[in-house]
Amino acid sequence: MTQALSFNRALPEHYSLDAYKKHFAEFQEFQARAFHSQPINILVKSRASFIDEVLLELWQHCGLAKDKAISLIAVGGYGRGELHPYSDVDLLLLVDKRPDSNQQEAIARFITMLWDLRLEVGHSVRTYKETLSLGKDDITIATNLLEMRLLTGNKTLFQELQTAVNADSFWTSQAFFQAKRHEQQQRHAQYHGTAYNLEPNLKANPGGLRDIQTIGWVAKRHFNTRTMRELVAYQYLTEDEYQELIECEAYLWQMRFSLHLEAGRNENRILFDYQPAAAERLGFGSDGKASVERMMKRFFRTVQRVSELNEMLLQHFEGSILNSQQKLKVSQLDDYFELQGHLIKARDSAVFARRDNLLRLFWHIANNSNITGVHSTTIRLIRQVRRRLMGDLQDYEACRQLFLTLLRHPRGMDLAVTLMHRYGILAAYLPQWRNIEGQMQFDLFHAYTVDEHTHRLLKNLYKYSLAEHESEFPLCTAIVKKMEKPELLYLAGIFHDIAKGRGGDHSELGGMDAREFAKLHKLSEFDSKLIAWLVENHLLMSVTAQRRDIHDPEVVAEFAAKVRDETRLNYLYCLTLADIRATNDTLWNDWKGSLLRELFLATQKAFRRGLEKPMDLRDLIRENQSEALPMLLRQTFIESEVLQLWSRIKADYFARYSPKQIVWHTEHILKHKTPNEPLVLVSKAPIKGGTQVFVYTKDQAGLFAKMVAALDSKKVNIFDAQIMTNKDGYAMDTFVILEQNGETVNSPSRQQSIKKALEQYILGKPDLSRQKPKLSRQMRQFTVPPKVVFLPGNTRHRTMLEIAALDTPGLLSDLGQVFQQCGVNIHAAKITTIGERAEDFFLISNAEDDALTTEQQSQLRRVLISQLSQQTEG
């Protein structure tokens, strides 16, 4: 096999940079062609051999071969004889004493030549004593030295170092194990304990190559082994587990090799940019998302297997290296399980012959807060029985009873559900869960695969019942405390996205799955209908809150009519909040929380008033005015001047703003003595979860475009806009903004900067034709076909417009300019960004302050589609 891969081209006889670069390029092309026909281990080892040959030749060329007091040593992955196309070439130049000027010059020349060849070289020049001293203090250096390999030079010096590195005086087996385990825990924490991200790092993520290497490093230090196979002889691995580990490593190597080739650099993140080409190179086809989906499903299943093996083997090592098993207290839980220390352990190897014991294991975990995990021998038994399962665990009546008992247990959604997910028992129980394992979501809104997102949603739902999270979710906590059946909420969470990837409406298909589950598990008709309704409508509340004007009584009434009763509202609110927070760690903010809470409370109030008698808009206006007026009079304002100002303002204003906001606006307008200049207010404290920007100025053509351009120039995100023109021709516009990280604008200097930008843009000073920033790397991988839809409005003098497009820089500013060009007035805007997709709603009118005619709608649609298409192409 190696002979079939032989690169039959010798290095150039005489060194020249161009000749060597050409030689490297030819070898790279040779390996790229061989990728489709040769085993991956041959490819990575042949690259290491190729680099060996180059280094030895350049070592000779630089005159270093004559120096008998220096050793050239490969360390790290290169020391193992494994190199991917752009992997780091880690070198230790071991010297018997500090190099003199001639040696330093020769070494510098050697390293420069490697850099000129664009090799990623990590090198150090150290004496024997320096190397040992640094290795004792740094676990990373110690690990690299474990895998050192002499390339050329002083063999005696190398052997002395190797002997010292293998001695307990360097690192004891116990200290090394504890350091590597701690290192792994820290690394996993950086990735939130999961590899189920949409752009995972196949080297560093949990279950990645580092986890395989950690097993090898610990074994090498403890047993002085050179290969993983030797662990079979020590009975730390079965032959099947060894083969599985090698297969997993081979697949991750294939992915890494193809990533390097596609990226042209040392790239270990499976970025959207490279996923389609990598999938095609790996043989998954060239049909876009479908190919990527197949590749990534295999990746996620691979890292799950690696994670299990890593956990199991490190537990084995812990017992052997630290002798921890001898000190542990053992207590019997029942006839099948016992507690060894804090780990649950099967009492005999045939325990899972009774399939319901697979569920009973997790019931014990829920029932006993002292249990922190599953014993390694039991993990091995779970893995073995999982492969032999015929059918689904839910086929067994005893399993169904235990599953429902787990759902109803106060701690069922704590550690128990996490371990059921980790060890594949959720997939073994629910056939639909197997379909979403590793299921990609091709957007920037979702940060995780479908199964991991659902797992996180369940954890969020569980937090509602915990006292330590009461301040984080006060309303949800209060609701869940009063729920008779919180398990229905968990079931809705399990099924809400379970039909993704099947084609069709996942909400409808998931609702059908939920009904089948309820029938099989003999749930009541009421419970069955509630779960199915929640699954079918799990997006209803978030869509309404983020895209509709929830201050409009008709919107609330329409939403309430769909929800129908307060019980459904309670369940839906808790599910929606957990769902959004489990989607992407960076996208949740207080503004979204405020919207959902307001919609919940408004709908709850409507239900409690009988719905057929919601508060009349005129009553709300009078109530807000009567509460705001005394506050203003206490500030020495005269009632007549307040009422005179209010008479020029349209009545809708007093329904949309709270009394405190009305006071805030009124006092500043009355104090504003320069009517030809804009008044801009920026809230110092958050209002309903966002920073509010209020603008009072003479109305003018293109005002909306200027204001959003100003905000865009300050790199803030706009979430909401209320656009209003008074009877006297003054605009009173409000924007809700947040920083790009989702935080409110807190810095006084930042607030002042935003205020100044708005004033300048409104006065027409900046150039609106400035060059826009380019699309981000991730955004370039997506296309969102522009969509312009006119919807029936709640008032006959207004037109509701929905626009969906790629969220390109300056999008709102461009839309504002189109509206100006077409003579369209904007009265309200709802700005929603879902990952790469912008979904914006506008309430508009024509130049005659009436709803757009059919002809005007057609013209506006044409111009908008043209503009949005140009943006995407740009």
Side-chain angles (χ1 to χ4, degrees):
M1 190 68 72
T2 306
Q3 192 174 15
L5 191 64
S6 177
F7 182 58
N8 298 316
R9 298 186 191 178
L11 279 164
E13 277 189 41
H14 302 289
Y15 173 79
S16 82
L17 182 58
D18 289 341
Y20 265 62
K21 279 185 175 180
K22 182 182 178 185
H23 189 69
F24 264 71
E26 289 170 347
F27 180 77
Q28 197 85 323
E29 290 172 12
F30 168 75
Q31 282 217 308
R33 290 193 304 272
F35 181 79
H36 299 288
S37 60
Q38 297 296 324
I40 189 64
N41 64 315
I42 297 295
L43 291 171
V44 297
K45 291 181 185 304
S46 68
R47 175 150 186 102
S49 297
F50 172 79
I51 297 299
D52 286 355
E53 182 185 356
V54 171
L55 294 186
L56 293 176
E57 190 65 30
L58 294 180
W59 189 259
Q60 181 84 23
H61 180 75
C62 293
L64 287 163
K66 300 173 185 175
D67 194 330
K68 303 303 181 185
I70 186 168
S71 301
L72 179 62
I73 301 170
V75 294
Y78 182 39
R80 292 192 301 272
E82 301 164 2
L83 278 184
H84 289 263
Y86 293 95
S87 291
D88 293 348
V89 177
D90 291 328
L91 300 171
L92 168 63
L93 282 75
L94 187 65
V95 294
D96 61 351
K97 59 183 179 181
R98 295 308 302 165
D100 59 27
S101 58
N102 290 332
Q103 288 174 316
Q104 287 177 353
E105 186 179 337
I107 290 169
R109 187 180 174 204
F110 173 69
I111 297 299
T112 301
M113 283 180 169
L114 299 184
W115 286 339
D116 288 343
L117 291 170
R118 296 186 180 175
L119 287 176
E120 294 289 333
V121 179
H123 76 285
S124 56
V125 183
R126 292 174 186 149
T127 64
Y128 169 88
K129 286 184 178 179
E130 287 173 337
T131 303
L132 284 182
S133 176
L134 289 168
K136 286 178 181 179
D137 294 337
D138 190 320
I139 187 62
T140 303
I141 295 173
T143 305
N144 279 341
L145 291 174
L146 269 184
E147 300 176 310
M148 59 184 174
R149 176 170 60 93
L150 181 65
L151 295 173
T152 188
N154 190 317
K155 189 174 183 180
T156 303
L157 197 58
F158 168 78
Q159 288 173 338
E160 286 177 2
L161 179 62
Q162 193 172 48
T163 301
V165 165
N166 289 329
D168 278 352
S169 57
F170 183 62
W171 276 83
T172 65
S173 181
Q174 291 90 340
F176 186 82
F177 170 79
Q178 289 173 323
K180 294 309 290 185
R181 183 176 59 180
H182 179 66
E183 183 183 69
Q184 178 173 290
Q185 289 167 346
Q186 286 186 313
R187 174 167 49 81
H188 285 187
Q190 290 177 351
Y191 295 93
H192 308 290
T194 180
Y196 290 74
N197 304 298
L198 299 188
E199 289 187 315
N201 186 314
L202 58 77
K203 188 176 179 181
N205 268 108
L209 285 167
R210 273 282 182 260
D211 281 10
I212 298 176
Q213 290 162 358
T214 297
I215 297 168
W217 290 325
V218 171
K220 191 171 292 186
R221 186 70 196 91
H222 187 60
F223 297 114
N224 196 26
T225 59
R226 295 300 297 175
T227 67
M228 203 79 75
R229 174 174 278 286
E230 293 174 69
L231 293 181
V232 178
Y234 285 104
Q235 297 184 334
Y236 277 82
L237 272 177
T238 66
E239 180 64 31
D240 285 347
E241 288 164 351
Y242 165 73
Q243 293 297 338
E244 183 178 3
L245 206 52
I246 295 304
E247 286 173 16
C248 290
E249 181 180 61
Y251 181 64
L252 295 176
W253 273 5
Q254 285 178 322
M255 289 194 80
R256 189 181 184 202
F257 204 94
S258 64
L259 272 178
H260 281 210
L261 292 177
E262 297 303 332
R265 65 173 187 271
N266 187 359
E267 182 58 80
N268 298 308
R269 297 165 299 163
I270 312 174
L271 300 177
F272 289 134
D273 313 45
Y274 309 124
Q275 287 175 3
E280 185 173 358
R281 189 183 288 273
L282 287 164
F284 289 99
S286 56
D287 45 343
K289 290 181 179 178
S291 302
V292 171
E293 194 173 283
R294 289 189 286 270
M295 174 183 74
M296 295 305 292
K297 273 202 170 186
R298 182 169 174 193
F299 167 77
F300 289 122
R301 285 168 181 166
T302 298
V303 295
Q304 180 191 25
R305 292 157 73 192
V306 171
S307 290
E308 286 180 345
L309 288 166
N310 173 275
E311 180 185 0
M312 187 178 74
L313 288 168
L314 290 189
Q315 257 196 55
H316 274 318
F317 285 132
E318 183 175 14
S320 173
I321 296 170
L322 303 181
N323 297 314
S324 59
Q325 305 296 340
Q326 298 173 12
K327 308 167 189 174
L328 298 177
K329 179 183 175 183
V330 177
S331 56
Q332 186 173 335
L333 296 171
D334 60 15
D335 291 341
Y336 309 105
F337 300 102
E338 64 187 27
L339 188 58
Q340 190 173 101
H342 292 287
L343 301 177
I344 188 170
K345 183 181 180 183
R347 299 189 68 215
D348 68 74
S349 59
V351 68
F352 296 128
R354 284 192 53 165
R355 296 302 189 229
D356 54 310
N357 278 338
L358 281 167
L359 277 298
R360 187 167 285 106
L361 168 77
F362 296 100
W363 179 85
H364 278 301
I365 292 170
N367 202 47
N368 192 324
S369 58
N370 291 322
I371 298 175
T372 59
V374 181
H375 194 277
S376 56
T377 58
T378 307
I379 296 173
R380 176 171 280 159
L381 293 176
I382 292 171
R383 288 167 52 78
Q384 290 170 350
V385 76
R386 202 173 58 203
R387 292 173 180 155
R388 296 197 300 269
L389 283 176
M390 304 288 287
D392 307 309
L393 289 177
Q394 70 170 3
D395 295 340
Y396 300 91
E397 173 64 24
C399 289
R400 293 197 292 272
Q401 293 301 320
L402 277 165
F403 190 77
L404 290 177
T405 303
L406 254 173
L407 286 172
R408 291 165 180 154
H409 195 287
R411 289 194 301 272
M413 294 299 110
D414 192 13
L415 180 61
V417 77
T418 296
L419 296 183
M420 286 177 76
H421 174 45
R422 183 184 302 172
Y423 299 136
I425 299 304
L426 275 176
Y429 190 85
L430 290 170
Q432 300 94 335
W433 190 275
R434 289 197 289 277
N435 295 328
I436 61 168
E437 279 193 315
Q439 175 72 43
M440 292 285 286
Q441 306 195 68
F442 295 95
D443 56 47
L444 293 181
F445 180 58
H446 294 88
Y448 305 102
T449 55
V450 179
D451 58 326
E452 180 59 21
H453 159 70
T454 304
H455 166 243
R456 287 170 177 264
L457 180 150
L458 292 173
K459 303 302 284 186
N460 285 342
L461 292 175
Y462 173 64
K463 287 178 182 177
Y464 299 156
S465 64
L466 301 178
E468 59 263 36
H469 291 282
E470 189 168 354
S471 61
E472 192 177 357
F473 314 104
L475 187 51
C476 289
T477 298
I479 292 169
V480 169
K481 277 181 180 178
K482 296 175 184 176
M483 273 186 187
E484 290 185 20
K485 296 181 179 180
E487 69 269 18
L488 303 184
L489 190 58
Y490 296 137
L491 283 169
I494 288 170
F495 284 96
H496 85 291
D497 274 354
I498 209 161
K500 277 194 170 178
R502 284 195 234 162
D505 186 326
H506 77 278
S507 299
E508 288 182 13
L509 294 172
M512 292 169 60
D513 290 342
R515 286 189 184 89
E516 289 175 11
F517 176 93
K519 184 177 179 182
L520 179 64
H521 290 74
K522 299 176 184 175
L523 300 185
S524 70
E525 185 66 18
F526 178 85
D527 291 350
S528 172
K529 286 181 178 177
L530 176 57
I531 298 165
W533 183 86
L534 287 167
V535 173
E536 290 162 356
N537 294 276
H538 71 273
L539 297 174
L540 173 64
M541 194 168 198
S542 62
V543 167
T544 304
Q546 294 184 72
R547 302 182 190 177
R548 302 291 302 277
D549 181 3
I550 60 174
H551 300 105
D552 185 336
E554 290 189 31
V555 170
V556 175
E558 181 186 330
F559 174 72
K562 291 176 181 176
V563 177
R564 292 170 54 182
D565 60 56
E566 201 168 332
T567 297
R568 288 185 177 189
L569 177 66
N570 288 340
Y571 277 95
L572 183 60
Y573 175 67
C574 292
L575 180 64
T576 303
L577 199 74
D579 188 15
I580 296 175
R581 297 196 68 152
T583 300
N584 189 318
D585 295 329
T586 63
L587 294 182
W588 175 260
N589 52 54
D590 290 341
W591 166 247
K592 289 182 181 179
S594 173
L595 288 177
L596 291 172
R597 189 173 184 277
E598 281 193 53
L599 179 58
F600 171 83
L601 294 174
T603 310
Q604 184 186 64
K605 186 181 290 186
F607 284 139
R608 291 179 178 180
R609 292 184 177 191
L611 189 61
E612 72 278 1
K613 297 177 182 176
M615 179 180 280
D616 187 85
L617 199 59
R618 286 171 294 184
D619 293 338
L620 181 60
I621 291 168
R622 281 194 292 268
E623 184 179 299
N624 284 345
Q625 285 181 334
S626 63
E627 197 173 326
L629 185 58
M631 291 190 236
L632 287 162
L633 297 181
R634 283 196 292 271
Q635 296 184 40
T636 70
F637 289 108
I638 301 170
E639 183 175 355
S640 59
E641 65 177 346
V642 172
L643 295 178
Q644 185 181 7
L645 171 62
W646 285 2
S647 69
R648 303 200 302 267
I649 300 173
K650 292 180 180 177
D652 280 359
Y653 166 85
F654 298 97
R656 294 188 181 279
Y657 294 94
S658 70
K660 284 185 178 180
Q661 289 173 290
I662 294 169
V663 169
W664 182 44
H665 299 161
T666 303
E667 64 171 310
H668 282 90
I669 293 172
L670 290 174
K671 291 176 181 177
H672 187 59
K673 302 304 180 184
T674 50
N676 292 325
E677 293 182 9
L679 167 67
V680 179
L681 306 176
V682 181
S683 66
K684 293 180 181 178
I687 297 176
K688 296 180 180 178
T691 297
Q692 290 206 357
V693 177
F694 175 75
V695 178
Y696 176 77
T697 187
K698 278 187 177 180
D699 197 16
Q700 57 178 277
L703 179 60
F704 179 81
K706 291 179 179 180
M707 290 188 293
V708 295
L711 294 171
D712 186 52
S713 74
K714 306 314 292 182
K715 293 183 169 52
V716 294
N717 292 328
I718 302 170
F719 282 84
D720 198 14
Q722 290 293 336
I723 312 299
M724 189 173 292
T725 306
N726 293 342
K727 299 169 187 175
D728 59 358
Y730 271 78
M732 292 177 65
D733 301 337
T734 299
F735 295 89
V736 176
I737 62 171
L738 291 170
E739 299 283 16
Q740 292 188 337
N741 63 1
E743 298 291 325
T744 53
V745 182
N746 297 317
S747 162
S749 61
R750 180 94 165 112
Q751 293 172 355
Q752 186 61 29
S753 172
I754 291 169
K755 180 178 181 295
K756 187 175 180 180
L758 278 161
E759 290 169 347
Q760 290 180 333
Y761 273 69
I762 291 168
L763 293 172
K765 292 178 181 177
D767 178 13
L768 293 183
S769 64
R770 71 195 190 289
Q771 188 176 2
K772 295 187 182 70
K774 294 182 179 179
L775 280 176
S776 68
R777 171 193 64 77
Q778 286 189 323
M779 202 71 79
R780 286 197 298 270
Q781 308 309 311
F782 294 93
T783 54
V784 178
K787 184 179 76 170
V788 177
V789 179
F790 292 94
L791 305 168
N794 293 329
T795 58
R796 58 192 180 90
H797 296 295
R798 299 288 179 260
T799 300
M800 187 178 288
L801 169 65
E802 176 189 5
I803 299 175
L806 188 67
D807 185 30
T808 54
L811 174 63
L812 273 179
S813 178
D814 289 339
L815 292 178
Q817 291 183 54
V818 169
F819 291 143
Q820 179 186 351
Q821 175 188 336
C822 295
V824 169
N825 300 315
I826 304 165
H827 302 277
K830 199 78 170 176
I831 313 302
T832 307
T833 303
I834 306 173
E836 75 286 352
R837 184 183 182 89
E839 295 186 357
D840 301 337
F841 288 77
F842 298 91
L843 193 65
I844 58 175
S845 66
N846 57 23
E848 290 74 39
D849 199 31
D850 208 343
L852 271 65
T853 64
T854 304
E855 184 179 341
Q856 288 170 335
Q857 289 181 12
S858 298
Q859 181 195 5
L860 181 58
R861 180 187 286 110
R862 281 195 303 271
V863 179
L864 283 169
I865 291 290
S866 173
Q867 176 65 36
L868 294 170
S869 299
Q870 287 175 26
Q871 274 201 321
T872 305
E873 291 165 8

